[in-house]
Every structure is written in C-alpha cells, then in structure tokens.
Amino acid sequence: MNLLRWAVLTAGVISLAVLILRARWAAAFGRPESYAPARGSARRGIIYALGRGLLPWEKESARLHLATYVAGILYHAGLFGAFAILSAQAADIAMPRPVAFLLRIDLALGLFSGIGLLIKRAARSLSRFLSRCDDYAANLIVDLFLAFALAASLDARAEVPFMAISVILLIYIPLGKIRHCLFFFRSRIGFGRLLGRRGVLPPGRASAS
Amino acid sequence: MPEIPMRKRTWAERLEDLPPRNFKAAIQTLADIIDTPSADGLESCVRCGLCAESCHYFLDDRDLRSVPAYKLNLIIRIFRRQIAGAGRPRRGAPGLSAAAIREWADALYGRCTLCGRCMVNCTMGIRIPSIIRKGRAVLASLGLVPDGLDSTLATARETGNNMGITREDWMETAAWLEEDLRTETSDLRIRMPMDAAGADFLYAVNPREPKFYPLTLTAAAKLFHAAGRSWTLSSHAFDVTNYAYFVGDDALAARFASRLREAMDALNIKTLVLSECGHGFASNRWEAASWLAEKLDREVKSVLEIVAEDLRAGRIRLDPDRNPKTVTLHDPCQLVRMGGIIEEQREILRHCVRRFVEMTPNRKDNYCCGGGGGQLSMSEFAARRKSAGRIKAAQIARTEAQVVASPCHNCLDQLADINKHYRLGVEIKSVLELAAEALLPPQG
Ligand code: SF4
Ligand code: SF4
C-alpha cells in the first residue's frame, strides 16, 4: 500500500512537471504584440470568459446542448471529488462522515454523467466522426477513476485498485486530451483578452434569444 | 516561332496535380506562424462537438465536414504529430499528404467565412478563425489560393486597390460625384476633398463604392459636410479592404495596410476613418498595428463612430420619417463580433428610420451572411456560399422587415445575392445611405 502511495505521488509530480513543460512549449511560440489601442478592457473580458461567459444563457452552444453541458459539469465535479478522496487517502486523513457522504453523491453523479457522455460519444454520428482513440481512452480512464474512488470510499478493499487507476490517470493527463485541464484556462484567458480589448466582451446587452 | 503563353493552371488543376507527399515546407510554414494563443487552442480542443450548430455552413448542409471542430482538427492533427513540443517539424512523424491538403483546401477555404461564431460558442474559447487563417496561409505557401481570391490579391498588389481603379479614374469619379452633390443639394460648399493636407481625418473607402455604389460615398460626404467635418480622400491610397487578411499572408497584409498609413503621413493626418467594411475595420483597426509593429499615435475609427459622435453632439439631425419602412440590421462579423463596433449602427438607425427591428440572434451572436472570409471572390464555392446564406435569409424573413441595412459592402453584396436567390423581396441598404436620406439641413 505504501508503495502505491509513493507511486501516486511520483505520478502526480511527473504529471505536473510535464504539464508545466507543455505550457512552456506553447508559451515559447510567442504572443503577438497588441499594438492597437484597446477599445474595451482585457481584464473584464478575461473575467467574463472565465465566469459569466460559461453560463448557458450566455452561450448558445451550452443552451442547445443543455443535458451535455450539465453532464459535463457533474463529470468534472465528480473528478474533483475523486481527487479529494485520493488526496485524503494518500495522506491518511479520515474524512468526516457528512463530507464523505456528499462526496459519494458527487462521485455517483459524476460517474453516471461520464458513462452518459461516453455513450453519447459512441452513439452520435457527429461525435463519432470527431472522436479519436484518445477521447474514448480518456473517458474510460476517468470513469474507472470515479468508480474506484466511489468503491474505495465505501470499502477499504477497493483502495489498491483505486491507487492503481490513479497512477494511470495521472500519467495519462499530460499525454492525452485531459491536459485541457491546463489549456482550458489558457485558451479562455486568451479568448477573453482578445475580445475584451476589442470591447466585445463582456457583452453589453442581451444579444440572443 | 512566337511563344505560346502558358495558361495558368486553375485551382482545381493545381489541387489535382499535387505530388503525393513531401510537404515538409508546408509544415515548416505552419510551425513558423503558430503563436501562443493558437498553440493553446490547438492543445485545448476536446472534440465535444458543441460548436457544430454555431456554424452557418453546418446548419445549412449538416455535412460533418462543416463542423468547426472538424476544420480545426485538420490542423490539430498535423500540429500534434509534427510540431507540438518540438516547435519545428519532427523527423519521421507522419506528414501532410496530398489527400490531406485537398481536405484542408475544401474545408478551410470552402467551408469557412472566418466569422468567429464558433469561437464565442467553443467550450474552450479556442480562436478558431485565427487558426483557420493560419491553415489558409499554409495552403497559400503551396500556391493554393482559390483563383478569384488570388486574382483579387494580384490586382490589389499591382494597382493599389482590389478593383484595379486607376488614380486618374478615382480622381475623376470623386470630381463628378462632387459636381453631382452640388447639383443635388444646391450647396456649392459641399466637397469631395482630395489630398487636403492637415485635414482632421483621411477617409478610406471600399473600391466597390466608386465603382458600383457611389451613393454610399456621397452619403458620407453629405453627413461629414453637415457636421462641419474637416476630412479628405487620398488620390494615392483609398482602399479600405485587405484581402491578404483572408489568406493569412501577414506580410502582404502589412504592405496593403501601410499604404493608407503612408497616405496619412504624406498629408500630415493623424486619424484614419474607415468606410463601411467589416474586414477592412478588423484589419486596419486591430491587426495592422501588429503587422506593422507600429506604436504611433494614430487613431483608426469606423465611420459609424464618427456619425454617432456627430449625432450625440447635435452636429447633425436626422428625420426618421424620411425612412418610413421597417428596417432590420445585419451585423457584419468582422465589425461586430471581431471588431467591437456594436451599438453605433443601432444608435444611427434609431435616429434615421421610423421602425427598427432586431434580427435574432444579433450583435456578437449574429449569424454570418455567408459572404465573409473572401467567399465572394471564390467562384469555386459560390454554390455553397449561396446555400449557406439560407440561414441569414431565414433570419431576415422572420423580422418581416422591408429593408435590410448593413454597414459592410461585402455583406451588402452577399445580402443582395441571397435576396435574389431566396426571393426575400427586401431592399438592401448601407447604414450611411439611410442616415443620409434622413439628413436634415443644419439649423439656423
Ligand atoms: S466546442 Fe471547442 S472544444 Fe468543443 S469540439 Fe468545438 S472547437 Fe473543440
Ligand atoms: S469561423 Fe464561422 S464559418 Fe468558420 S468554422 Fe467558425 S462558425 Fe463556421
């Protein structure tokens, strides 16, 4: 068990290091200077892009795919819950019962959503057309991570497979699509900065119905 | 024996004759032009497909190749295999095949107007149009620019404007328009000033105006005159458009943009005012300074900002009863979603038409008319352009307006086309035209 804990820790450090490297690679391409004087505020654009701009009433794509949008949020919330359980177990911290109970609900909803998203990806022609092995693999690994986190929170015998899948997930993060955990922020900040400077974001009035 | 001139091969022939592989130089081009925001975007796409319905092409044809993420992932595939991490093409990695290049050409030129609607709807906020422009630049580096767009670029390169108007013709046109204006308004002081050094601003126009739509040019002159503005045209540089923007050729785009800046310097003018042109605004207002690495104290404004300022300051008065028909507004993507000129045109229309109705959706969420991204010059994709215009046609029909106004000459052309094609039976007008029609004589 101790060995597995060390493996999780090592995988976490490697994962973080590779993610930082990837961010540095992307940064090395260079950001074009914005010499044109701003019409709006980059800061306000960024705040919008990372906040209100993610809400379904602000974004047609989220409104049109509300079930997927909600499933996505639950899936990610489940993932954070699983990491909370992993951290507690790796550090040998006992969770207070109400917290553990809430986390189990979070994990169950996340797992349910993850499986739903996987089925949707495989069943819908548009998603199938866009998808690559990475998309299925990432979803499966995260689903297993959630499932074993849930099991481990109920039964100590599941701790070993949970640690094992955690190592796989941590190694996979910077190599596959899950690295969007970092690039999501970088992209949205870039988007907010661009349209914030230009005075497009945050939008002044309701523009869609 | 007289030499028989070689016929230039068409775009289709050039695509057909591509060697099967060895496009290393193209991959190098991509590596050279990728910047950090693009790299972040290329690393971000999770292929959720939520962007699909934001694209008017996909809404129209439901072809999976019209989904923005598909277009983006054509580039992602090469970027991740070849460039990511290393920052330069990798030896031995699977490269860019002729088949892939044909896919790029069809999708990046033929299924995109660079409208940016997918970007505002993307889960990750990926700057998709900017990345597609880079893909187009790669194709351009292989000599694969669609014929019509290529010849528009050649004309602009050789003559200084995209319609090949000579300096003499331009000056003559301005002179007879001035005469016409004086006759029409019975005001001998109204002018189409040419090369007036030290004027408050230089006015740049779309070459379509002197060539086909002189009414929009005289409309601007009437409004400026009524407001008592000091302005001028330049006999050397007058073209607000920049078609190099559509092919991602930043060096050429910089050359085009520098012409207006040089004309400003020659006339000792600090402000450039741009006529109604979406991409002309985005390129001159937002991109040119970066292309030219310019930090000078210049101001670049849309003519809509000028007219709205004059309205607010009471320098001009408009009578909405002179435009009694119901008017709706098409928001040009490059001016509004990518440019930030959002409320000025509305402010002007509310003053100059009796009934103004919004399209739904509008402003940053508006649908592209289908004519952007250089599509109007690409006869190869004309049928697709008209078909994709169906989304805009339906939007117009729902407003039940009799007039569609738009502050962009490219959009006006496409709107006229879809008006005919879908038998909408509306009038298509520029915002300045409507404002000039409602212009009241100065008080006192
Ligand atoms: S919405 Fe954005 S992240 Fe999702 S598939 Fe489209 S481009 Fe990719
Ligand atoms: S920029 Fe516009 S036309 Fe191009 S893919 Fe995105 S939504 Fe479609």
Side-chain angles (χ1 to χ4, degrees), chain B residues 121-318:
Chain B
N121 277 292
C122 170
T123 314
M124 302 284 151
I126 300 171
R127 298 183 186 185
I128 301 169
S130 149
I131 295 173
I132 289 182
R133 270 185 67 225
K134 294 193 190 314
R136 286 185 175 194
V138 170
L139 293 169
S141 76
L142 294 168
L144 293 172
V145 174
D147 294 331
L149 197 52
D150 203 28
S151 74
T152 307
L153 276 171
T155 307
R157 214 174 7 229
E158 283 152 25
T159 67
N161 65 86
N162 74 37
M163 296 234 135
I165 300 171
T166 63
R167 182 163 181 253
E168 292 67 36
D169 279 352
W170 165 235
M171 291 173 75
E172 253 174 46
T173 306
W176 70 251
L177 285 177
E178 185 175 273
E179 252 180 65
D180 269 11
L181 268 174
R182 287 179 175 173
T183 315
E184 185 195 330
T185 59
S186 313
D187 184 345
L188 291 178
R189 290 162 311 157
I190 194 162
R191 296 203 52 210
M192 285 289 233
M194 189 64 79
D195 295 331
D200 286 348
F201 63 81
L202 173 69
Y203 189 51
V205 305
N206 188 311
R208 278 186 170 87
E209 297 182 72
K211 194 101 174 170
F212 304 123
Y213 302 108
L215 277 184
T216 57
L217 200 43
T218 51
K222 283 181 198 167
L223 291 160
F224 297 157
H225 176 68
R229 290 280 191 174
S230 140
W231 67 290
T232 189
L233 300 163
S234 159
S235 64
H236 290 282
F238 60 87
D239 187 354
V240 74
T241 70
N242 196 328
Y243 278 67
Y245 179 63
F246 295 141
V247 300
D249 185 342
D250 288 357
L252 186 59
R255 232 173 85 196
F256 289 168
S258 68
R259 288 171 177 160
L260 288 171
R261 265 115 166 125
E262 280 158 18
M264 288 169 80
D265 290 344
L267 295 170
N268 193 22
I269 291 175
K270 292 273 177 256
T271 303
L272 175 63
V273 173
L274 309 163
S275 162
E276 295 169 287
C277 179
H279 88 275
F281 182 80
S283 54
N284 284 295
R285 170 67 174 87
W286 293 114
E287 309 287 352
S290 301
W291 292 331
L292 297 163
E294 176 194 70
K295 280 185 186 158
L296 300 180
D297 55 341
R298 295 181 206 278
E299 217 181 359
V300 181
K301 286 183 155 184
S302 159
V303 66
L304 301 170
E305 293 177 273
I306 297 288
V307 176
E309 268 170 31
D310 288 340
L311 264 175
R312 270 176 241 142
R315 286 191 287 268
I316 53 172
R317 293 180 309 132
L318 304 176

Side-chain angles (χ1 to χ4, degrees), chain B residues 44-51 69 72 121-124 126 128:
Chain B
S44 299
C45 180
V46 287
R47 293 170 290 279
C48 61
L50 298 197
C51 51
L72 178 68
N121 277 292
C122 170
T123 314
M124 302 284 151
I126 300 171
I128 301 169

